[in-house]
């Protein structure tokens, strides 16, 4: 099971790093800025998870494979940005893949450290959304997780599948695959069809009725 978590973590690190680096290239950052954004997007969620569950030092800071993977993705994106951009909606696709992989890997690692299934699912969601939040904050924009399209909900759905499977003593690998597939599918469906949770209302002013916050 440890090998599965490591594989999911490294693949998620790579695709989240691609997502961060692609956004850095689009913002015309220099190579240092692209690499910093790539590393931050790829490792922030895992670092927060490890600190909260007591897995110190965090794997992203103690295992050379994590920074090398994230920096390699950043370098590939910086020098081959046109190739990356040819993929259909690359940032959102990479983001959804990283979200799914991190959500299930984060949940599984939290379960291995003795957390209850509900708390492990929360750690899985945090693992999935943490890198995206830091990436967006570094780019001075509202984090995607706080906007209309489903993001944290998709991560939580995937994490709950893994946590529920553990609670029911089901095989871990199939549960991880189902959880990752559900998270990725839900996120991409939300992007494609504009699914979102209810938004906050604000008063319209000048006697206008309240309307949705835009």
């Amino acid at each position: 099971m440890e090998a599965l978590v490591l594989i999911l973590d490294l693949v998620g690190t790579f695709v989240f790093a691609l997502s961060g680096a692609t956004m850095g290239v689009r913002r015309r950052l220099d190579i240092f800025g692209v690499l910093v954004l790539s590393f931050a997007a790829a490792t922030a969620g895992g670092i927060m998870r490890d600190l909260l569950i007591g897995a110190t030092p965090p794997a992203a800071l103690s295992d050379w494979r994590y920074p090398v993977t994230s920096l390699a993705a950043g370098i590939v994106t910086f020098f081959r940005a046109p190739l990356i951009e040819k993929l259909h909606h690359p940032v959102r696709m990479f983001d959804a893949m990283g979200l799914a992989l991190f959500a299930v890997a984060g949940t599984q690692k939290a379960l291995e450290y003795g957390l209850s299934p509900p708390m492990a699912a929360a750690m899985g969601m945090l693992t999935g959304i943490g890198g995206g939040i830091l990436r967006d904050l570094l780019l001075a924009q509202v984090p995607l997780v706080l906007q209309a399209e489903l993001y944290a909900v998709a991560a939580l759905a995937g994490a709950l599948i893994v946590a529920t499977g553990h609670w029911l003593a089901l095989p871990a690998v199939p549960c991880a695959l189902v959880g990752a597939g559900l998270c990725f599918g839900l996120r991409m469906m939300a992007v494609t069809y504009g699914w979102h949770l209810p938004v906050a209302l604000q008063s319209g002013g000048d006697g206008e009725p309240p309307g949705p916050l835009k």
Side-chain angles (χ1 to χ4, degrees):
M1 198 62 227
E2 290 183 4
L4 174 64
V5 172
L6 177 62
I7 292 172
L8 292 176
D9 251 355
L10 290 176
V11 175
T13 297
F14 186 79
V15 295
F16 254 157
L18 284 178
S19 171
T22 301
M23 294 187 73
V25 169
R26 288 182 172 180
R27 293 294 187 90
R28 301 185 63 83
L29 301 183
D30 61 21
I31 187 170
F32 181 77
V34 169
L35 293 180
V36 168
L37 201 62
S38 173
F39 180 78
T43 61
I47 290 173
M48 286 189 287
R49 172 204 63 204
D50 288 352
L51 291 175
L52 288 172
I53 68 176
T56 54
L61 301 179
S62 61
D63 189 331
W64 63 269
R65 289 170 289 193
Y66 289 91
V68 167
T69 299
S70 64
L71 295 178
I75 291 171
V76 168
T77 305
F78 185 83
F79 289 105
R80 291 290 184 268
L83 178 62
I84 300 297
E85 289 286 356
K86 287 181 181 179
L87 299 176
H88 182 62
H89 299 306
V91 173
R92 285 180 171 177
M93 185 182 70
F94 294 145
D95 199 71
M97 292 172 61
L99 182 70
L101 293 169
F102 271 20
V104 298
T107 304
Q108 187 60 47
K109 186 167 184 177
L111 289 169
E112 292 175 359
Y113 271 76
L115 271 69
S116 65
M119 288 304 300
M123 289 299 101
M125 181 182 68
L126 177 64
T127 307
I129 67 177
I133 290 176
L134 182 57
R135 175 202 65 203
D136 293 345
L137 291 176
L138 289 173
L139 290 171
Q141 64 186 33
V142 177
L144 188 61
V145 67
L146 303 179
Q147 300 183 40
E149 294 166 351
L150 301 182
Y151 197 85
V153 171
L156 181 59
L160 285 173
I161 293 293
V162 177
T164 301
H166 177 82
W167 180 58
L168 296 175
L170 298 176
V173 174
C175 289
L177 295 176
V178 172
L182 175 63
C183 178
F184 178 79
L186 186 58
R187 174 70 187 132
M188 292 306 296
M189 291 289 284
V191 170
T192 303
Y193 297 105
W195 294 351
H196 58 81
L197 296 177
V199 299
L201 300 179
Q202 63 178 357
S203 58
D206 297 328
E208 296 179 7
L213 183 62
K214 305 224 174 150

